[in-house]
Amino acid sequence: MCGIVGIVSTEPVNQQVYDSLLLLQHRGQDSTGIATAEGSAFHMAKARGQVREAFRTRDMRSLIGNMGLGHVRYTTKGAAEREEEAQPFYVNAPYGIILVHNGNLTNTRELSQDLFNIDRRHVNSTSDTEMLLNVLATELTGQIQGFSLDAHQVFRAVEQVHERVEGSYAVIAMIAGHGLLAFRDPFGIRPLILGKRTADSGKDEWIVASESLVLENGDYEIVRDVEPGEAIFITLDGEMVSKQCARNPRLVPCSFEYVYLARPDSVMNGISVYESRLRMGDRLADTIAKHMPLGDADVVMPIPDSSRPSAMQVAQKLGIEYREGFYKNRYVGRTFIMPGQSERKRSVRQKLNAMGTEFRGKNILIVDDSIVRGTTSQQIVQMARDAGANKVTFASAAPPVRFPHVYGINMPSRQELIAHGRKIPEIAAELGADHMIYQEVADLQAAITEGTSIEALDLSCFTGDYVTGTVSEEYLEWVEQTQLS
């Protein structure tokens, strides 16, 4: 999971890209980068850390041009501590291409061999984004005839990229002197949305970004989501053309975007994130009513912030008082997306504080959006007990996470997942809770897709069913051996 944005404007874009990345900061906090295009020249700045601390005035002054892109990184491939693996990535031929990517490729072993043995390209990092960039550059080189480059050639190159790479990818790239390219994998696993506004000159200005809130904040009209497998090419003059570049595209978006990753004020694939979380709460309430003994909850409490809509609905539907017992320090990042288990453990107590007056002598029903490793949940239960709670019931708005997520979320190992190999009472004991209640898989899917034509979601971390059909047991074992969480 990362956040990406690309803009083609009639005026300098450096501040627009910077502001967009601030809005996408929740999607990644390891590193960030911005690149702009001034004619056929690129300018780039990238660094470790969050957006506000990464860019200085001198960096922004150097980012000249009316076309640009940006990235906030949450590490799933490559090393979090290596600044050179921050995006964007650049390759000098053909023309010069700079690219950012949100997602995770699942055939990097094969790509690495092919890029060296067949394409004769050198990849200087362990990042799958650099591999993707070099695949695109290779295929684009093969399409060029003469000195010109047109949209047809670009789309043909994207068709070949779809044939060669597997996994999830939402991509934005700049081709020096020509324009901005955006495309999405054939399953539409990771989000990408297109927006437009009209400049004072009457010319069209365009934006593509991971979430709709970026478009709304910049006063862009939401045009539509980029379709699965589709490529969009925007020239320097603001002309936009698009084409479906995949053979059998099918929309199967990632369910975890709606559970946790996305901001609640975003709309993805026509689905309001906030409203989907309200529906998760409604359905979770029905499950709680079936399994929790009457009188075992005096109050419902959310773990701020992403579980708040679900918790409000649980309280309303069950007729239990809703209270805010945990205070969040907003200057600590999201613990789930921090690199390294020790860093996550250390950050939980810095992030949350329990107010004793809300817990003392009460039976507490805690609602969280999900439970992955259980690190945060264990400490939250203990905090509730230390604050004087009588009984603690823990409810998750998502089903048990039992399988690795290989499409762009940092859950590479089954052994680190608290629900893997455990029954629900065993999970409750591990967390130190009196009761443990999970959302049903079917209820989660229904809550997200209600009122839409979407027929399927990527639920692989809950079910073990990997939608691309290319993830084998051997691959999962390799991921567990080679990737750190």
Side-chain angles (χ1 to χ4, degrees):
M1 180 194 77
C2 297
I4 58 176
V5 62
I7 298 172
V8 177
S9 181
T10 59
E11 59 186 17
V13 296
N14 53 357
Q15 189 65 51
Q16 293 184 62
V17 175
Y18 178 92
D19 292 343
S20 299
L21 294 181
L22 286 176
L23 294 169
L24 293 172
Q25 188 71 84
H26 60 284
R27 300 186 65 87
Q29 54 199 45
D30 294 347
S31 62
T32 183
I34 296 174
T36 59
E38 179 191 16
S40 59
F42 287 142
H43 307 282
M44 183 163 58
K46 56 184 182 177
R48 291 181 61 190
Q50 299 185 26
V51 176
R52 286 194 183 278
E53 63 194 36
F55 301 109
R56 299 289 182 263
T57 301
R58 63 178 178 273
D59 299 317
M60 299 302 292
R61 287 175 176 166
S62 70
L63 294 168
I64 305 167
N66 294 356
M67 180 172 69
L69 50 73
H71 183 270
V72 287
R73 185 187 188 209
Y74 155 60
T75 308
T76 55
K77 289 278 190 179
E81 71 277 3
R82 294 186 62 188
E83 186 172 311
E84 60 268 28
E85 296 207 0
Q87 297 185 40
F89 277 95
Y90 166 76
V91 69
N92 68 348
Y95 303 108
I97 305 172
I98 284 187
L99 180 145
V100 292
H101 159 226
N102 172 30
N104 211 56
L105 304 188
T106 58
N107 64 330
T108 53
R109 292 176 294 179
E110 296 84 353
L111 286 176
S112 179
Q113 294 179 3
D114 289 349
L115 283 168
F116 182 79
N117 295 323
I118 300 174
D119 302 326
R120 304 303 187 204
R121 284 188 171 268
H122 173 68
V123 178
N124 200 43
S125 72
T126 59
S127 171
D128 58 345
T129 303
E130 189 180 13
M131 292 185 187
L132 181 55
L133 169 61
N134 276 274
V135 171
L136 174 63
T138 297
E139 298 306 328
L140 193 58
T141 299
Q143 297 302 318
I144 296 171
Q145 297 176 351
F147 295 101
S148 63
L149 177 70
D150 58 34
H152 174 76
Q153 294 168 324
V154 173
F155 294 148
R156 181 60 186 153
V158 174
E159 290 175 10
Q160 296 302 115
V161 170
H162 287 327
E163 292 293 321
R164 291 186 62 179
V165 303
E166 298 171 2
S168 67
Y169 47 97
V171 174
I172 303 172
M174 295 189 298
I175 304 174
H178 291 84
L180 185 138
L181 169 67
F183 58 94
R184 200 174 174 194
D185 71 71
F187 295 92
I189 298 172
R190 301 259 71 85
L192 197 61
I193 190 165
L194 174 69
K196 181 178 74 170
R197 70 184 183 189
T198 303
D200 293 339
S201 63
K203 286 189 174 183
D204 289 335
E205 298 181 322
W206 297 89
I207 186 171
V208 279
S210 297
E211 297 191 27
S212 64
L213 73 103
V214 175
L215 281 59
E216 293 167 345
N217 185 265
D219 292 326
Y220 288 88
E221 171 195 352
I222 295 175
V223 176
R224 58 182 173 84
D225 293 281
V226 178
E227 296 294 326
E230 182 185 27
I232 288 173
F233 187 67
I234 304 166
T235 69
L236 299 176
D237 293 327
E239 295 181 12
M240 191 276 287
V241 288
S242 64
K243 183 183 179 183
Q244 178 54 251
C245 296
R247 290 185 179 180
N248 299 298
R250 183 166 68 99
L251 180 57
V252 191
C254 175
S255 59
F256 223 76
E257 289 280 356
Y258 301 93
V259 169
Y260 173 81
L261 301 180
R263 259 182 48 164
D265 47 341
S266 282
V267 176
M268 294 177 166
N269 307 297
I271 301 169
S272 163
V273 175
Y274 180 75
E275 291 178 6
S276 71
R277 290 176 183 171
L278 291 177
R279 293 191 293 266
M280 290 176 208
D282 282 334
R283 292 176 180 272
L284 178 61
D286 293 337
T287 302
I288 292 171
K290 292 178 186 177
H291 297 287
M292 187 179 72
L294 290 175
D296 265 20
D298 300 317
V299 295
V300 174
M301 287 186 184
I303 304 303
D305 288 309
S306 48
S307 68
R308 192 171 277 125
S310 295
M312 290 190 301
Q313 291 303 105
V314 167
Q316 183 183 56
K317 196 161 188 178
L318 295 180
I320 302 173
E321 188 176 10
Y322 174 88
R323 305 292 287 183
E324 297 268 356
F326 292 99
Y327 178 78
K328 181 179 181 180
N329 177 1
R330 301 187 184 279
Y331 299 98
V332 175
R334 303 178 88 180
T335 51
F336 170 71
I337 66 173
M338 286 182 174
Q341 183 74 334
S342 60
E343 184 71 12
R344 282 187 287 268
K345 285 182 177 179
R346 187 176 64 83
S347 295
V348 174
R349 292 268 178 179
Q350 293 178 325
K351 175 183 174 182
L352 292 174
N353 184 51
M355 294 182 283
T357 54
E358 294 295 338
F359 289 88
R360 204 165 294 121
K362 296 178 183 178
N363 295 335
I364 310 297
L365 170 56
I366 294 174
V367 177
D368 206 351
D369 52 72
S370 58
I371 304 170
V372 179
R373 299 168 183 87
T375 307
T376 302
S377 304
Q378 287 171 334
Q379 295 193 46
I380 285 170
V381 171
Q382 188 59 50
M383 288 166 67
R385 297 218 185 271
D386 292 344
N390 181 35
K391 285 187 177 180
V392 178
T393 299
F394 208 103
S396 168
V401 177
R402 300 188 186 278
F403 302 93
H405 195 296
V406 300
Y407 298 130
I409 301 176
N410 192 17
M411 306 178 193
S413 169
R414 283 164 283 199
Q415 282 63 46
E416 70 181 340
L417 304 174
I418 194 169
H420 179 72
R422 290 189 177 98
K423 297 178 181 179
I424 292 178
E426 294 173 327
I427 300 170
E430 192 73 17
L431 296 180
D434 295 286
H435 304 289
M436 179 71 233
I437 301 169
Y438 279 101
Q439 185 89 268
E440 300 290 340
V441 173
D443 286 341
L444 177 66
Q445 176 154 339
I448 295 172
T449 61
E450 182 179 308
T452 75
S453 59
I454 296 175
E455 297 179 352
L457 297 171
D458 169 47
L459 297 157
S460 55
C461 60
F462 309 118
T463 65
D465 180 18
Y466 294 93
V467 298
T468 58
T470 56
V471 177
S472 65
E473 176 63 27
E474 184 274 332
Y475 174 76
L476 293 177
E477 291 176 357
W478 175 77
V479 168
E480 290 179 348
Q481 293 169 6
T482 59
Q483 295 182 30
L484 298 176
S485 170

